[in-house]
């Protein structure tokens, strides 16, 4: 069995004890083991801060962009191997594996191109300069400079490649060294990504470190110039963000957490119309891609009362076409959940939903998978529920069942009342609205825009261009309010703000403009 190592202080650390076993979720066979026991966290932090930080800050954006391009290229060269690891340790189909791995290399390439465009600068001007005095000789300009600590990047189990790539791209381009900590259960893929980068000797010493296994007491050593970028459950987020030293030092913390994303069909959308079909295709994809283990997956589907029966009929027909099984079997369209614990949580969660909603597709229990040994594997059919009439509040808006599970919620009122119902989820990463009606879209935005980090509006005019609401495109912000963590990642250059300090420069205009790089 493969033993995953950590990469710290410019060398590989192999633990001797304390291992967690990683399994193939389709067969339950052990595939690797990971432990970080014996790791010196203070030395790890010091090496990143003292070697990686200065090396990255000495580079221009163009040079950091060139590093990201090389990182993206090196990972892409090993694409087939990375896809195999994803199938064997994450249980993703080849399509799901591509979503993760190509998402990582694509996002890294996107930030590489931004770095190239920023050119020979080392700091970023933020907004326009402004006259501060009686004359324009006294001038103000905000700039972003790299923070002088280390960025600790903790990721969830479901995106071991993309989660790593999207955080790494922004931090490295901003000029911060990174310590990468993947979820242990699926850490093989991230570990291999870092190994590829180390083998290719792309990054300066200390720019990237990897911890496979527990972080030990690393977070209690973070200080005012460090960043903690966390993706995972709300429960872990709460524990981490309450860390005394993080609060005391005002360490910057970004949280990407649970999200009960909603899809809303507008009243104007007739069964069988192009926009109706678009919504069905999107929602089925969001429920089943990566077996619904996406933070952006649709969990609540708001359908106008009059169309609910047709909607459910068409959804169940499509969900019935899914072939659940081992990702290596060519006929399979949806793999297992990633771990035994995820399956248990999903089955328990469905049972709780079933108290206020009727299951209209799926059994809500483990099933056998095509191409997998009988009785083995964490397989779960896609499960669609229909909210009972009196289920307006509570568990449907509160419980994230992290699997191929969604609940249809009939609604009668206008777009604004649907938006208010979406808001009961307490804040989401993305809400998708399907409508061809300008007024409907605007009234939904006004009433519900504040409840999500992203509003994805599907309509007939853009149907053929839309990638689905679940894709976190690097140009657009990823992160949502409230239960989604209140964080923000991606969004083009906005992503660099997390890893930078904003400084309000004030002084003589020519000096300020030359320093900020805004002089003509
Ligand atoms: P999790 O159990 O909260 O774990 C997330 C990460 O935190 C893992 O790397 C875990 O490492 C680490 N961790 C746990 N306790 C820690 C501690 N005391 N100190 C330092 N690190 C610690 O979440 P998960 O089960 O992996 O992921 C599923 C959740 O993530 C879902 O709720 C999903 O909605 C959310 N998610 C959100 C987004 C988003 O962008 N908003 C994206 C993906 C997933 P170990 O594995 O070693 O415990």
């Amino acid at each position: 069995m493969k033993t995953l190592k950590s990469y710290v202080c410019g060398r590989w650390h192999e633990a001797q004890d304390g291992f967690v076993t990683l399994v193939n979720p389709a067969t339950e066979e052990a595939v690797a083991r990971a432990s970080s026991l014996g790791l010196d966290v203070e030395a790890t932090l010091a090496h990143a801060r003292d070697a990686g930080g200065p090396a990255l800050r000495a580079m221009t954006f163009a040079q950091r962009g060139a590093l990201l391009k090389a990182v993206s290229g090196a990972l892409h060269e090993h694409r087939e191997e990375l896809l195999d690891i994803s199938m064997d340790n994450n249980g993703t189909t080849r399509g799901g594996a591509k979503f993760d791995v190509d998402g990582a290399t694509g996002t890294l390439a996107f930030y590489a191109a931004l770095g190239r465009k920023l050119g020979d600068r080392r700091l970023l001007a933020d907004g326009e300069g402004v006259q501060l005095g009686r004359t324009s000789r006294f001038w103000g300009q905000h700039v972003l400079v790299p923070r002088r600590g280390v960025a600790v990047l903790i990721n969830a189990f479901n995106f071991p490649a993309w989660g790593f790539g999207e955080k790494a791209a922004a931090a490295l381009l901003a000029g911060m060294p990174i310590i990468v900590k993947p979820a242990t259960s699926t850490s093989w893929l991230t570990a291999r990504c870092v190994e590829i980068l180390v083998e290719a000797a792309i990054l300066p010493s200390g720019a990237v470190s990897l911890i496979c296994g527990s972080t030990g007491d690393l977070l209690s050593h973070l200080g005012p110039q460090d960043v903690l970028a966390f993706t995972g459950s709300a429960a872990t987020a709460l524990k981490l963000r309450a860390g005394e030293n993080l609060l005391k030092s005002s360490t910057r913390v970004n949280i990407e957490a649970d999200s009960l994303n909603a899809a809303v069909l507008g009243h104007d959308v007739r069964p069988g119309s192009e926009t109706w079909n678009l919504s069905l295709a999107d929602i089925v994809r969001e429920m089943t891609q990566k077996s619904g283990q996406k933070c952006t997956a649709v969990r609540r589907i708001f359908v106008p009362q009059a169309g609910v029966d047709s909607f459910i009929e068409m959804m169940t027909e499509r969900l019935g076409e899914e072939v659940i099984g081992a990702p290596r079997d060519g006929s399979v369209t949806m793999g297992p959940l990633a771990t035994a614990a995820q399956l248990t949580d999903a089955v328990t969660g469905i049972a709780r939903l079933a108290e206020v909603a009727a299951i209209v597709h799926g059994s809500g229990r483990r099933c056998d998978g095509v191409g997998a040994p009988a009785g083995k594997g964490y397989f779960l059919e896609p499960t669609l529920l229909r909210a009972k009439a009196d289920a307006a509040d509570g568990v449907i808006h509160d419980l994230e069942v992290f699997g191929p599970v969604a609940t249809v919620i009939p609604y009668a009122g206008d777009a604004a009342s649907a938006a208010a119902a979406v808001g009961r989820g307490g804040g989401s990463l993305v809400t998708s609205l399907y409508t061809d009606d300008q007024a409907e879209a605007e009234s939904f935005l006004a009433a519900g825009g504040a409840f999500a980090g992203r509003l994805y509006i599907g309509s007939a005019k853009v149907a053929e261009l839309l990638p689905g609401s679940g894709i976190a495109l690097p140009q657009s912000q990823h992160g949502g309010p409230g239960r989604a963590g209140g964080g923000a990642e991606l969004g083009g250059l906005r992503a660099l703000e997390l890893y930078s300090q904003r400084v309000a420069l004030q002084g003589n205009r020519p000096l300020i403009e030359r320093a900020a790089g805004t002089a003509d």
Side-chain angles (χ1 to χ4, degrees):
M1 189 187 357
K2 193 175 174 56
T3 298
L4 303 181
K5 298 175 200 160
S6 297
Y7 184 72
V8 295
C9 303
R11 55 185 176 271
W12 291 101
H13 168 85
E14 183 169 343
Q16 299 303 315
D17 205 354
F19 290 101
V20 172
T21 302
L22 285 66
V23 300
N24 179 331
T27 61
E28 301 183 30
E29 284 163 356
V31 293
R33 59 181 193 161
S35 166
S36 62
L37 209 72
L39 206 84
D40 183 342
V41 295
E42 288 186 71
T44 301
L45 288 166
H47 182 67
R49 290 183 188 126
D50 300 342
L56 288 166
R57 289 196 298 274
M59 293 179 182
T60 63
F61 280 110
Q63 288 168 327
R64 292 179 213 146
L67 288 185
L68 295 184
K69 188 173 174 207
V71 168
S72 173
L75 297 181
H76 189 69
E77 269 175 38
H78 291 80
R79 181 173 186 255
E80 286 304 318
E81 182 193 348
L82 297 175
L83 297 181
D84 281 344
I85 295 173
S86 177
M87 286 192 274
D88 289 344
N89 183 205
N90 285 61
T92 48
T93 59
R94 193 175 155 81
K98 285 187 206 164
F99 191 77
D100 188 21
V101 172
D102 294 345
T105 50
T107 305
L108 284 156
F110 172 84
Y111 279 96
L114 285 189
R116 195 179 59 240
K117 270 192 224 138
L118 291 172
D120 291 335
R121 286 188 267 160
R122 288 184 181 77
L123 55 77
L124 269 183
D126 177 25
E128 299 288 308
V130 60
Q131 180 175 325
L132 297 175
R134 219 169 4 92
T135 76
S136 66
R137 255 187 307 141
F138 182 31
W139 193 249
Q141 171 69 56
H142 289 92
V143 292
L144 298 176
V145 299
R147 293 169 75 86
R148 296 180 78 91
V150 59
V152 178
L153 314 180
I154 299 184
N155 275 311
F157 76 88
N158 57 338
F159 279 109
W162 179 84
F164 155 66
E166 60 102 25
K167 284 184 171 62
L172 293 171
L173 186 60
M176 279 196 90
I178 58 174
I179 297 177
V180 180
K181 191 285 188 247
T184 305
S185 58
T186 58
S187 51
W188 183 10
L189 183 51
T190 316
R192 183 63 190 128
C193 289
V194 173
E195 200 177 35
I196 289 165
L197 304 187
V198 172
E199 283 165 1
I202 293 168
L203 294 161
S205 180
V208 61
S209 310
L210 166 75
I211 297 181
C212 280
S214 161
T215 50
D217 67 346
L218 179 121
L219 300 186
S220 65
H221 295 282
L222 295 188
Q225 289 289 322
D226 299 320
V227 174
L228 171 61
F230 170 84
T231 296
S233 65
T236 308
L238 181 62
K239 198 159 49 178
L240 299 193
R241 76 180 351 152
E244 194 182 337
N245 71 307
L246 301 184
L247 294 173
K248 215 187 272 173
S249 312
S250 304
T251 305
R252 197 168 284 175
V253 177
N254 191 74
I255 302 286
E256 302 289 346
D258 304 1
S259 182
L260 284 152
N261 309 297
V264 181
L265 270 71
H267 278 284
D268 59 301
V269 182
R270 299 278 161 256
S273 68
E274 194 173 354
T275 305
W276 172 276
N277 292 338
L278 171 69
S279 76
L280 280 172
D282 274 0
I283 294 167
V284 169
R285 185 193 315 106
E286 291 312 315
M287 278 184 71
T288 56
Q289 191 172 47
K290 295 188 97 261
S291 309
Q293 299 167 113
K294 291 198 308 185
C295 50
T296 47
V298 172
R299 308 286 175 206
R300 299 173 296 157
I301 311 164
F302 292 87
V303 182
Q305 190 82 55
V308 169
D309 289 338
S310 322
F311 181 83
I312 287 179
E313 192 183 321
M314 291 186 201
M315 277 291 289
T316 52
E317 194 180 310
R318 294 197 188 192
L319 291 173
E321 291 164 7
E322 295 292 325
V323 182
I324 297 114
R328 297 280 184 176
D329 187 301
S331 67
V332 165
T333 58
M334 196 182 94
L337 300 191
T339 62
Q342 287 304 316
L343 177 64
T344 304
D345 282 359
V347 168
T348 310
I350 294 169
R352 287 194 57 202
L353 288 176
E355 290 165 14
V356 292
I359 295 179
V360 292
H361 184 82
S363 68
R365 289 189 302 276
R366 183 203 164 272
C367 61
D368 274 345
V370 172
K376 293 284 182 191
Y378 314 129
F379 298 103
L380 180 68
E381 272 180 278
T383 305
L384 188 69
L385 298 100
R386 177 186 182 146
K388 292 176 186 163
D390 56 354
D393 284 306
V395 70
I396 293 173
H397 304 287
D398 229 24
L399 178 70
E400 182 200 44
V401 181
F402 208 59
V405 182
T407 305
V408 174
I409 305 166
Y411 78 97
D414 57 8
S417 65
V422 169
R424 288 194 200 111
S428 317
L429 291 171
V430 55
T431 297
S432 36
L433 170 68
Y434 294 90
T435 182
D436 295 298
D437 184 306
Q438 181 76 26
E440 184 108 337
E442 288 183 21
S443 94
F444 190 91
L445 173 62
F451 300 129
R454 182 157 60 88
L455 179 57
Y456 170 98
I457 304 176
S459 67
K461 290 226 164 90
V462 285
E464 57 171 347
L465 301 172
L466 293 180
S469 60
I471 295 192
L473 293 167
Q475 296 88 339
S476 295
Q477 166 180 270
H478 176 66
R483 70 176 301 138
E489 294 183 330
L490 300 177
L493 285 179
R494 291 174 189 85
L496 275 58
E497 291 177 19
L498 175 62
Y499 305 101
S500 310
Q501 176 60 41
R502 179 180 291 110
V503 184
L505 284 182
Q506 299 177 326
N508 183 23
R509 182 172 185 174
L511 184 153
I512 298 294
E513 289 188 334
R514 273 197 297 274
T518 55
D520 291 333

